[in-house]
Amino acid sequence: MKHLFTALLFLTFGYITFISCTKLEPAAPADDAILDGPVEGLTPDQKARFLRGDVAFNDEIFTAETGLGPLFVAASCGSCHAGDGKGHPFITLTRFGQSDTSGNMYLAHGGPQLQNRALPGYTPESVPAGAPSSRFLPPANTGMGFLEAVTDADIAAMADPKDADGDGISGVCNWIALASYETPSPDAIVWKGKYIGRFGRKAAALNLLQQTASAYNQDMGITSEYEPYDTYSGHSIEPEVSNQTVQDVVFYLQTLKAPIQRTPDAPDVLRGKELFVQVECAKCHKPELKTGYSPIAALSYKTFHPYTDLLLHDMGPGLDDGYTEGHAQTYEWRTPALWGLGLSRNSQGGQYFLLHDGRAHSIEEAILLHGGEAQKSSSLFAALPEGDKNKLLTFLESL
Amino acid sequence: MRLLLSILSCFIYTAASAQIDSTLLRRKPRDTSALLMNMDAVYNRPFLTVGKMPVALGGYAEANWQHMGTDGVTEGHQFQMRRLTLFVASGITRRLRFLSEIEFEDGTKEINIEFAAVDMELHPLFNLRGGIVMNPIGSFNQNHDGPKWEFVDRPVSATQMLPATWSNVGFGAYGKQYKKSWVVAWEGYVTNGFNDAIINNALGRTSLPAAKQWPDRFEESFNGVPMVTLKGAVKHRKVAEVGVSYMAGIYNRFQDEGMTLDVKRPVKVWAVDANTTIGATNTFLTGEWAWVHVDVPATYSQQYGNRQQGGFLDIVQPVYKGRVAGFDRSVINVACRLEYTDWNVGRFEQTGGNIADEFMSIVPAISWRPGPLSVIRLNYRYNLQRDLLGNPASRTAGFQAGFSSYF
């Protein structure tokens, strides 16, 4: 009888543990507190593909045996984009070799990207003497499928190269040559055999396939059928990552959800949004864009809120590093999307590293470093009463 | 799998032979004196002898259920056979003996010879050991048998920062000196050592255990330089045991075919360990702390750090001794393990900011020992893991329950 009682006691104890186990496990963070996760509306097979891409992007760490380097910047995709957010100066991409629209003069010297790390026994690259260079912080990944699905016509419609409306803002497209493996979309606009770039600090990449294949190659020293040349030897070598994996990663990047704004209806956020328009930030950081057709139904014909126009703008001499890509001038930078800005610190080690090279350590500092076409906005912001400044910053933090 | 079957066949054959008279099966008495130390753990196990055969057999098995979740994502209920370990000991002559320990982890995913050495007793202060030896770094590496612990998981610092169970081919010596309530012991070995997997691995961090992935490590040294492991320990019967250990070697292949490829890159490990029982409450405390230094090339990624540190502290409080469910010598314990590991001690060259990459956990536990050879345990584990950059920590928690028993 006593043994039966003990056995029942154990059974009861076990049962309570069994049914309560999930209650004492950490809850998932709120959807608006994190950047990763898929867009809504994916089919089951698309979700499976998203997960495959997620694993390849965040979990696969390359070694010498699996193709890393021998010269590289990072050993995995995830080490540049922690939590799919903005990068940290620990992984800064140094680009070099081009100072005007005539192209990169240092391709034979390792350009356009410096591989500043190397496997033991190898010597990493250094920027050749006299080569123009700039340091780029890795951007956040989220919502990029939406940006990719914006039509060329919509981007071109926002451009105003000659400032015809006289507002001092003259966004221009970066016209770039097509990589050999790329197929332009049917509605692509072609100008002198070149296409509109939209990804990268200088908008020098056409789409996410180009971004991904070149990141494998230039950031990690991983060759693929798309980018078959080893960055160390310069020779075409066997692919070190499969087309399937590259495409899965592209799909993952395409279907990462757009950041979700937090407390969008808070009075300070609403007032900050008004001020954002009032000081003319919204002239470049366009609050709303829409997608065209996408083979991924969840991305087709959607309205979204990235706060970018995907165009190049003159940002003034203070941000002119003397280096450029494609058709852009050295002082021109593509308007970065502001969505997810308030979550940047969660991927940057608890502090802000803003602007292309992370030189700004607060949103306010980043605004005040805007020059060129954005000088007027910067000055209008600086002239705001302290309370209004804080409301505008609160709005930006909510994105 | 064939190896497993062969060994099990030997056991079955031996047992079958002994079925003629079951009294031939005898438990070999264990030394339960208070002067046993961590270094004695390898021989201080419950062996079974058959008649007058000079071979003693033993082993332990552990299995568990767990339900863990990380930031709202769980893999659900998991039933795991963590390990099955078999010991074979043999007295070759009166002062020459052999012991082997073969472990099957996660089913047959990993099969390891953890120990297979011949001991020659020459003098209490100087005995020889050769074969596959367990490098005496810290305490857990030598004293790792599942039934001895109240926790389902092994300590993270001991198994993922230090490489427990860490065995290598080599030779060495050990000795002990008793004086009243004191005992002083030492050990020293030269063995094969690490390889470059410790900084060239898919874990994305410096990892001494990654060296175990090299399949040839029991047949050749990666670079021809022996690794040295030294340990000294002192124990007072009524106070505590304290050990200090040191392990050093070269991990990279600095030359090949007579050509110099790189400088010699050392790896050095220091560890302290201690255990005691507080007499008044019978509370048992045990823990270890270790520091790892690896010469990572400056041109490699800082993601692979050149310093690590970490350790654990177990607190075990018996709360009931007596009869439970018909087991007369039952002991029920409450326990708690505290763990911390910093996988990358240092600061970013680019910003001067702290490199985080750290892990901490707390594991409250209840265990029931129906006898001295078995333990049934229920743990609640709560982990925090912070990434390299120090971003918000990922949280993992859940229940684990299982048993571990010598047989």
Side-chain angles (χ1 to χ4, degrees), chain B residues 89-361:
Chain B
S90 167
I92 301 166
T93 67
R94 199 168 61 84
R95 293 193 299 154
L96 203 59
R97 57 185 176 170
F98 171 82
L99 187 140
S100 66
E101 177 183 349
I102 298 170
E103 187 161 283
F104 301 84
E105 282 192 298
D106 302 321
T108 52
K109 200 164 84 179
E110 275 189 51
I111 302 172
N112 300 308
I113 300 174
E114 301 212 319
F115 189 89
V118 172
D119 282 26
M120 180 184 284
E121 293 175 18
L122 298 175
H123 181 276
L125 265 176
F126 190 81
N127 306 284
L128 298 175
R129 175 174 289 168
I132 296 176
V133 300
M134 273 187 278
N135 301 77
I137 188 73
S139 60
F140 187 86
N141 196 45
Q142 289 180 304
N143 194 8
H144 60 260
D145 289 1
K148 293 182 176 176
W149 301 84
E150 318 306 310
F151 304 93
V152 171
D153 283 338
R154 291 177 165 185
V156 167
S157 62
T159 55
Q160 295 179 42
M161 184 184 78
L162 298 183
T165 310
W166 177 235
S167 310
N168 285 288
V169 183
F171 299 88
Y174 61 94
K176 259 179 164 183
Q177 179 69 53
Y178 296 88
K179 191 153 192 182
K180 294 182 180 173
S181 290
W182 288 91
V183 57
V184 179
W186 71 278
E187 292 177 86
Y189 301 95
V190 286
T191 62
N192 286 341
F194 291 102
N195 53 69
D196 63 5
I198 66 176
I199 63 158
N200 176 37
N201 60 66
L203 297 166
R205 64 165 181 255
T206 297
S207 168
L208 301 190
K212 294 195 283 190
Q213 295 163 2
W214 189 45
D216 298 334
R217 68 190 191 91
F218 287 126
E219 28 180 314
E220 60 176 297
S221 165
F222 192 68
N223 50 34
V225 180
M227 183 172 73
V228 175
T229 314
L230 302 168
K231 182 166 185 180
V234 60
K235 181 171 184 175
H236 184 278
R237 183 194 296 271
K238 292 180 180 170
V239 184
E241 174 183 350
V242 177
V244 177
S245 44
Y246 174 72
M247 182 166 68
I250 302 297
Y251 73 88
N252 67 321
R253 188 166 275 154
F254 53 90
Q255 62 182 20
D256 200 8
E257 301 289 332
M259 284 187 290
T260 300
L261 305 175
D262 196 359
V263 296
K264 290 180 184 176
R265 298 197 179 276
V267 51
K268 296 175 185 174
V269 183
W270 282 97
V272 292
D273 61 82
N275 65 77
T276 187
T277 301
I278 299 171
T281 57
N282 210 22
T283 309
F284 178 64
L285 303 173
T286 186
E288 69 177 35
W289 190 269
W291 297 265
V292 176
H293 294 256
V294 178
D295 179 10
V296 179
T299 53
Y300 200 49
S301 174
Q302 261 197 301
Q303 187 168 346
Y304 294 84
N306 51 22
R307 284 193 293 147
Q308 298 180 322
Q309 61 180 4
F312 70 94
L313 172 66
D314 285 5
I315 306 157
V316 182
Q317 178 63 57
V319 291
Y320 176 79
K321 288 185 181 179
R323 188 180 171 87
V324 176
F327 292 92
D328 294 336
R329 296 170 63 197
S330 286
V331 180
I332 292 179
N333 298 303
V334 292
C336 188
R337 170 174 288 165
L338 303 169
E339 298 183 85
Y340 175 79
T341 305
D342 189 339
W343 306 111
N344 196 334
V345 181
R347 296 193 162 272
F348 287 111
E349 291 161 5
Q350 294 81 1
T351 63
N354 180 51
I355 299 175
D357 206 4
E358 58 193 357
F359 168 90
M360 56 193 84
S361 80

Side-chain angles (χ1 to χ4, degrees), chain A residues 2-3 6-7 10 13 17-18 20-22 24-29 59 61-65 68 72-76 79 82 87-92 116-124 135 344-351 353, chain B residues 65 67-74 77 79 196 199-205 251 261-262 265 297 299-304 323-327 348 350-351 353 366 368 376 378 380 382 387-392 395-399:
Chain A
K2 215 170 157 185
H3 293 178
T6 311
F10 272 105
F13 198 55
T17 304
F18 205 72
S20 66
C21 54
T22 54
L24 289 170
E25 290 173 10
D59 297 346
I61 295 166
F62 288 96
T63 64
E65 288 71 31
L68 179 67
F72 62 96
V73 181
S76 69
S79 54
H88 179 275
F90 164 60
I91 303 280
T92 304
N116 63 334
R117 297 184 170 102
L119 294 176
Y122 292 87
T123 305
R135 293 164 62 242
S344 300
R345 285 177 294 189
N346 290 352
S347 64
Q348 296 187 309
Q351 56 187 316
F353 295 98
Chain B
W65 157 86
H67 193 291
M68 306 289 287
T70 300
D71 294 332
V73 178
T74 177
H77 299 282
F79 297 90
D196 63 5
I199 63 158
N200 176 37
N201 60 66
L203 297 166
R205 64 165 181 255
Y251 73 88
L261 305 175
D262 196 359
R265 298 197 179 276
T299 53
Y300 200 49
S301 174
Q302 261 197 301
Q303 187 168 346
Y304 294 84
R323 188 180 171 87
V324 176
F327 292 92
F348 287 111
Q350 294 81 1
T351 63
I366 300 172
W368 171 35
I376 295 167
L378 173 67
Y380 175 74
Y382 191 92
D387 71 5
L388 197 72
L389 306 175
N391 291 318
R395 297 164 303 150
T396 299
F399 283 102

